[in-house]
Amino acid sequence: MPGLMRSTRRFAALTACGALAAGAAALGSPAVAAPAAAPAVAGTTASAAATPLRVLFDNSKAETAGNADWIIGTGQPDPLTQNPAPTAETDWTGAISAWGVALHRTGRYALKTLPSGGTITYGTTAATDLQNFDTFVLPEPNVRLSASEKTAVMRFVQNGGGLFLVSDHTGADRNNDGWDAVEVINDLMADNGVDNTDPFGFTVDTGTVQTDNPRAVSDSTDPVLNGAFGKVTGSIIRSGTTMTLKPAANPSVKGLVYRTGSSGTTGAFFATSTFGSGRVAVWGDSSPVDDGTGQSGNTLYDGWNDPAGTNAALALNATDWLSGAGGTGGGGGGTCTAAQLLGNPGFESGTTVWTASTGVITNDPARPARTGSYKAWLGGYGSAHTDTLAQTVTIPAGCTTAALTFHTRIDTAETTTTTAYDKLKVEVLSGSGTVLATLATYSNLDRSSGYVQRSFNLAGYAGQTVTLRFTGTEGSQLQTSFVIDDTSLTVG
């Protein structure tokens, strides 16, 4: 039925509420473009993982004292109580809300905050106990951890947790209690009740670097520098410090970003390490994660979007690595179990898992499914229109094969044999919404009488979380229908 336009058949049963249906269609497209202050993550509303990665941000150590606001949101412990569906970093209030919103929008993370007055624990029944999380973020702590808190942090990492430490320059004692972030972090490593001999293989340098644009080392395999949120080329220092690495204390320590002119064991600005079964990352300045907005009365700096560094990618990739996303936790290794990774691959569960424009996933008989009753139908309106369909998936690092297949049926009312008026684009996107590859572009010239199988090799994305996105675009007249069914991403 190449001449049947989608608009005449799709909303026939909704004539009594046509205006409402039109409004829903206008609002139904998934968010894949980057908001001004937070990297977008394509397919962010999809339930991409059965068990989310759990991150606890600390606010118990005076992270909002003085001219600081190192929180992901004022809703605490649950940031969703401030806004349950954030799309821009200003939907949550805090100087690191861009970090939190970007993680939330992947659909893979569950975030909480340990509120002011709380205690860091491990092995208790508290809802914010570290055993309930994959990663713990200490963003420029300004209060010395108690003996029990330091032991809790060390046991958490030792047993497989991820610890993200953010320091600042010497003298940044924002609550005037005699402790700044440099001292708090070094105290954790020198007096913790578990291992007091620089267990992570670094110490934070005492001093202040006023300004610099540190560069990343050349390492195409490191999961933090080459993660799902983009490639890291460097960072920024806007009053911060560096680290001295001590591989004799922990040979796994690794400098990833260095102050200009530095290398080896000195001048590291961002470093990673492992301890026991867990992972550690440390950053020498809070300015790179500052998004420039927060609670009233604070003078903040937008380092998150500073073009001198790829700070957002560094923060988000490191969180992924610390949390074990893609099987890369604990040093970037990973194993692969043969499996089909896509959720709801034949669309028979309706709109679950996939993120799609309104009406794309349908059992409308005007375009039959290849198998079952449901399929994804992009286009078919005969007017200027764009439909999208996306799903986010993590390809385990140890996989050597990753075969993407799907079936397409393309029919059109176009009569030309030379001009592609209507197109279906198939893309792979990073976690930040950057297009990593365009796998194929089909058009009205690729019409078919039945379904045609398409196959692509995605093994090059092993160890990454990527989004598969289909975009159907029609011109101003004459419909083209791009129908997709029976998708699969099989790894081994």
Side-chain angles (χ1 to χ4, degrees):
M1 291 176 281
L4 176 62
M5 291 195 299
R6 185 189 189 99
S7 58
T8 61
R9 61 93 195 156
R10 166 160 298 284
F11 300 116
L14 301 179
T15 53
C17 52
L20 177 61
L27 296 172
S29 298
V32 294
V41 182
T44 54
T45 60
S47 299
T51 302
L53 301 171
R54 305 157 300 172
V55 180
L56 179 67
F57 286 82
D58 187 70
N59 186 33
S60 71
K61 299 295 173 277
E63 279 89 352
T64 62
N67 196 40
D69 197 33
W70 312 127
I71 57 174
I72 59 172
T74 54
Q76 298 180 13
D78 188 352
L80 296 178
T81 59
Q82 181 181 8
N83 187 320
T87 59
E89 62 92 4
T90 50
D91 290 338
W92 288 351
T93 305
I96 58 173
S97 61
W99 189 353
V101 169
L103 292 175
H104 172 78
R105 293 187 63 205
T106 66
R108 299 184 291 110
Y109 280 89
L111 311 178
K112 293 290 188 294
T113 296
L114 180 61
S116 176
T119 300
I120 302 168
T121 62
Y122 182 74
T124 73
T125 59
T128 54
D129 189 279
L130 291 181
Q131 68 179 348
N132 298 321
F133 296 89
D134 300 297
T135 293
F136 181 44
V137 181
L138 270 169
E140 195 187 329
N142 261 245
V143 173
R144 184 189 187 191
L145 277 65
S146 70
S148 64
E149 288 180 316
K150 286 182 284 187
T151 300
V153 170
M154 296 301 296
R155 293 298 186 201
F156 167 68
V157 178
Q158 190 175 47
N159 292 329
L163 176 64
F164 205 141
L165 300 167
V166 181
S167 185
D168 202 0
H169 60 89
T170 295
D173 178 10
R174 302 179 188 274
N175 62 339
N176 299 311
D177 71 340
W179 288 85
D180 59 30
V182 174
E183 296 166 315
V184 171
I185 293 172
N186 285 340
D187 179 67
L188 168 65
M189 292 180 288
D191 181 21
N192 56 61
V194 177
D195 184 335
N196 299 327
T197 57
D198 298 318
F200 303 148
F202 62 80
T203 55
V204 183
D205 296 332
T206 300
T208 300
V209 179
Q210 290 294 345
T211 184
D212 191 46
N213 296 325
R215 297 297 90 190
V217 301
S218 178
D219 187 341
S220 61
T221 63
D222 186 88
V224 174
L225 298 180
N226 306 276
F229 294 91
K231 184 174 180 60
V232 174
T233 58
S235 188
I236 63 169
I237 302 178
R238 303 295 183 261
S239 291
T241 190
T242 54
M243 278 74 67
T244 297
L245 307 187
K246 300 183 176 181
N250 186 330
S252 72
V253 70
K254 182 178 181 181
L256 299 185
V257 179
Y258 282 84
R259 182 184 178 185
T260 302
S262 297
S263 62
T265 60
T266 61
F269 182 58
F270 193 102
T272 59
S273 182
T274 63
F275 178 71
S277 301
R279 306 152 298 281
V280 181
V282 59
W283 214 333
D285 191 4
S286 54
S287 295
V289 295
D290 187 342
D291 58 38
T293 67
Q295 299 178 93
S296 177
N298 295 308
T299 302
L300 302 170
Y301 175 77
D302 189 2
W304 189 260
N305 294 299
D306 192 324
T310 47
N311 300 307
L314 183 52
L316 298 168
N317 285 347
T319 308
D320 251 6
W321 178 74
L322 290 169
S323 303
T328 59
T335 59
C336 182
T337 300
Q340 195 291 112
L341 301 182
L342 293 182
N344 190 18
F347 309 104
E348 296 305 312
S349 297
T351 57
T352 60
V353 182
W354 295 92
T355 299
S357 301
T358 298
V360 163
I361 297 176
T362 178
N363 62 351
D364 191 311
R367 293 296 186 277
R370 178 176 177 269
T371 60
S373 301
Y374 282 81
K375 69 281 176 180
W377 180 358
L378 294 81
Y381 288 89
S383 60
H385 185 84
T386 298
D387 281 324
T388 56
L389 172 73
Q391 185 173 148
T392 300
V393 61
T394 298
I395 303 175
C399 294
T400 58
T401 61
L404 171 67
T405 63
F406 55 89
H407 294 75
T408 64
R409 178 182 183 271
I410 303 172
D411 67 71
T412 182
E414 301 283 0
T415 58
T416 179
T417 59
T418 58
T419 304
Y421 290 113
D422 311 314
K423 298 178 181 179
L424 175 69
K425 185 180 294 186
V426 186
E427 299 169 305
V428 179
L429 284 73
S430 71
S432 62
T434 300
V435 176
L436 300 176
T438 298
L439 301 179
T441 300
Y442 307 107
S443 73
N444 49 280
L445 301 178
D446 298 300
R447 69 184 75 198
S448 57
S449 58
Y451 280 91
V452 178
Q453 186 179 46
R454 317 289 186 176
S455 301
F456 301 93
N457 180 10
L458 301 188
Y461 302 104
Q464 299 186 44
T465 297
V466 296
T467 295
L468 307 176
R469 184 173 70 181
F470 300 84
T471 304
T473 306
E474 283 188 285
S476 59
Q477 57 185 342
L478 298 179
Q479 76 86 29
T480 298
S481 292
F482 301 100
V483 186
I484 301 167
D485 202 359
D486 296 331
T487 67
S488 174
L489 178 54
T490 304
V491 299

